[in-house]
Amino acid sequence: RTYDFLTPEQDFGARVQEGLSRANKSLPWEILFDTSGVQLFAEACAQPEYLAARIERAILDACIGEIAEFVHGDSQYLDLGCHGVSSAVTLIEHLRPSIYLPVDTSFKALGSRIAQVSQAYPWLNVCGLHARFDEPLHLPRFAGAPVRYKLVSLLGGAFARYSPAEAGA
């Protein structure tokens, strides 16, 4: 299942023009994270030169036992900006949540993530949220799925799309 919480965006051309009119030129990050963009990002993260991904992975590997002690079993795993497949797999395998909720603005990338995770973990209830995670989210209720804990994952790669001021907000 996929829940669509996105409203129609402002005109693509107008958004690009607005971003390129700024003193610090930028493009809307959503256009970079389509299916191809997500794949390119995953390939970049796999490179040994990409220090941020290696550090993030080392922190997750070092802390996964402690996280699993605190959050386990009857949990809902909300994966914001779901671009890092390996991190999600690590968390799913160690925490064994009842529900996995990837959140993404790219409907195609979200569909691909849902298919990958559903195939790898047939026991897992997977529901995608087509939404922006930098705006309020209203999570659907899931009848019959035990949920004692909610784990929200916003890994560092998701911050790359924001300016320092936007990331702080």
Side-chain angles (χ1 to χ4, degrees), residues 4-11 15 30 105 130-132 135:
D4 193 351
F5 293 106
L6 288 180
T7 56
E9 292 288 329
Q10 129 189 27
D11 177 56
R15 295 180 67 218
E30 297 93 341
T105 58
H130 185 226
R132 293 180 58 108
E135 295 177 354

Side-chain angles (χ1 to χ4, degrees), residues 124-157:
L124 182 58
N125 185 349
V126 181
C127 299
L129 300 179
H130 185 226
R132 293 180 58 108
F133 60 82
D134 56 355
E135 295 177 354
L137 277 175
H138 302 284
L139 299 179
R141 301 197 93 176
F142 298 98
V147 174
R148 215 168 123 201
Y149 300 99
K150 291 184 191 277
L151 171 70
V152 179
S153 163
L154 178 60
L155 299 174

Side-chain angles (χ1 to χ4, degrees), residues 78-96:
L78 185 65
D79 189 4
L80 303 179
C82 59
H83 300 119
V85 175
S86 67
S87 297
V89 165
T90 298
L91 288 164
I92 290 168
E93 288 180 353
H94 284 83
L95 303 179
R96 300 199 54 86

Side-chain angles (χ1 to χ4, degrees), residues 39-55:
Q39 180 61 38
L40 287 171
F41 181 71
E43 290 173 18
C45 288
Q47 301 304 309
E49 298 83 7
Y50 193 61
L51 183 62
R54 286 197 334 253
I55 291 172

